[in-house]
Amino acid sequence: MTRKLYYFIGQLLFIPHVILFLTTSQKEIIITDVYAGKTIKTGAINQLNDLTRSLLLSNYFRTLFYFRTKNSFLSKVLRVFYPKNDSFIIDNTTPIGTGLHLAHPYATIINANAVGDNVYINHLVTIGEKNGLRPTIGNRVQLHAACMVIGGINIGDDAIIGAGAVVVKDVPPNSIVVGNPSRIIERKK
């Protein structure tokens, strides 16, 4: 009972975020992010409950929420009182598709030309530029712990980048890549 009361009171503190959510054009994308990797619940009350719970329990999700609402003055004000995670950085110019699944992205940097839909990102991941060129990440790509994707390369749809891999060359769709330097160990069908 105490945990439910804690969640209820905590979620009430995020009512300003609900107002921001209701006034943004990014509603559908944010809801897809809330349910990344899960089935989207129906009903506005269920979705708002899950949104406020995600904002309360995950400052990583809060960082993504602020990224999605970055052009709003209210978003900038709320960041002061409800901080985002300083170790999870999303470059403001990076277009990110829907359903970004964040698995505790501690010390993660997303600085890409584009990130597709339903991408999974784990902790210590670096997606970064080299010589002014940034990578393009396809749809349903998995980026596992401590991997690096650097430079003007393309990561194809449904690719899996293994933990600790350093990727500086294009990765074809449906490939599994591991190692430093990275190499393809399997092509999924």
Side-chain angles (χ1 to χ4, degrees):
M1 186 62 144
T2 309
R3 185 179 297 229
K4 286 184 180 182
L5 181 61
Y6 165 75
Y7 287 150
F8 178 74
I9 292 169
Q11 286 175 268
L12 287 177
L13 296 174
F14 283 91
I15 288 175
H17 290 75
V18 172
I19 294 167
L20 176 58
F21 169 76
L22 294 173
T23 59
T24 185
S25 61
Q26 303 291 311
K27 283 188 223 46
E28 290 180 27
I29 293 172
I30 292 169
I31 288 300
T32 307
D33 291 336
V34 169
Y35 294 103
K38 301 178 232 168
T39 303
I40 296 176
K41 291 182 185 175
T42 57
I45 299 298
N46 287 331
Q47 291 177 352
L48 290 176
N49 180 56
D50 290 343
L51 171 66
T52 55
R53 181 174 272 214
S54 295
L55 288 165
L56 172 68
L57 298 178
S58 174
N59 58 4
Y60 301 120
F61 178 79
R62 203 175 313 142
T63 301
L64 180 59
F65 179 82
Y66 291 144
F67 172 79
R68 299 287 192 201
T69 60
K70 66 184 168 225
N71 295 325
S72 166
F73 175 74
L74 181 56
S75 178
K76 292 173 179 142
V77 170
L78 290 174
R79 290 177 209 192
V80 173
F81 300 101
Y82 306 89
K84 59 184 186 172
N85 188 294
D86 289 335
S87 75
F88 174 44
I89 299 167
I90 304 173
D91 181 79
N92 278 338
T93 63
T94 299
I96 297 178
T98 63
L100 183 63
H101 185 194
L102 302 170
H104 60 285
Y106 173 78
T108 291
I109 299 170
I110 302 174
N111 182 16
N113 188 44
V115 175
D117 294 331
N118 302 308
V119 170
Y120 169 90
I121 297 178
N122 212 304
H123 60 283
L124 300 170
V125 169
T126 300
I127 304 169
E129 71 177 69
K130 179 179 179 186
N131 299 326
L133 299 173
R134 303 183 313 168
T136 300
I137 311 297
N139 298 317
R140 298 169 305 280
V141 170
Q142 296 179 32
L143 300 165
H144 290 276
C147 74
M148 294 183 174
V149 179
I150 311 268
I153 62 174
N154 292 306
I155 307 298
D157 293 346
D158 300 297
I160 298 173
I161 310 301
V166 177
V167 183
V168 294
K169 295 180 182 173
D170 288 351
V171 174
N174 301 305
S175 298
I176 299 174
V177 177
V178 299
N180 179 10
S182 64
R183 65 190 184 287
I184 297 171
I185 60 167
E186 183 178 332
R187 293 206 180 175
K188 302 180 291 180
K189 294 179 180 164

